[in-house]
Amino acid sequence: MRLRWYTVVVDSLDPRAQARWWAAALEGVVVDESDEGGLVIPGDMPPELLADGPVPAERWHRFPPGLAFVRVDGAKQVKNRLHLDLAPHAEDDRDAQIERLLAHGARRVDVGQDESVVDWTVLADPEGNEFCLLSSRLD
């Protein structure tokens, strides 16, 4: 028996909107959406996760974690202590991904990064949660 990293939970003023935004950003799917929260799973999740019925344990442990958004009353006040790093494959255009996210409502943010850094770009989602878009990766 082992544990699986299941979700990263994000406090949100509007969890439904945040779930939809992240689903679009990750080309994923929103499941279990309610007024109090929503769960986003990445676009590469096997379809059996969405189907009714149990998923065999050997497959379940290989699924990547999702993002869960839960309602809170107060807006984000300070820099995240935990953030997501996103990376395109080496065959994909990183700058095009940055532009896609910016067009979708992300914004560039300064969290004190050095101006000479070119391996990642710091962005924030519509509620101000920082994340990084890394340089393209092969692995």
Side-chain angles (χ1 to χ4, degrees), residues 36-105:
E36 295 304 311
L39 174 64
V40 173
I41 58 172
D44 59 352
M45 290 295 278
E48 61 264 26
L49 182 66
L50 300 175
D52 292 332
V55 175
E58 66 274 4
R59 301 258 349 229
W60 187 80
H61 284 292
R62 289 189 232 147
F63 293 159
L67 292 172
F69 298 90
V70 297
R71 183 175 304 285
V72 296
D73 292 331
K76 181 178 171 297
Q77 300 289 322
V78 297
K79 178 184 172 292
N80 295 359
R81 293 197 60 186
L82 173 75
H83 70 268
L84 301 178
D85 282 348
L86 307 179
H89 187 272
E91 295 177 1
D92 294 326
D93 184 344
R94 175 181 179 264
D95 292 336
Q97 288 293 340
I98 291 171
E99 292 307 314
R100 180 180 72 86
L101 292 168
L102 291 171
H104 190 58

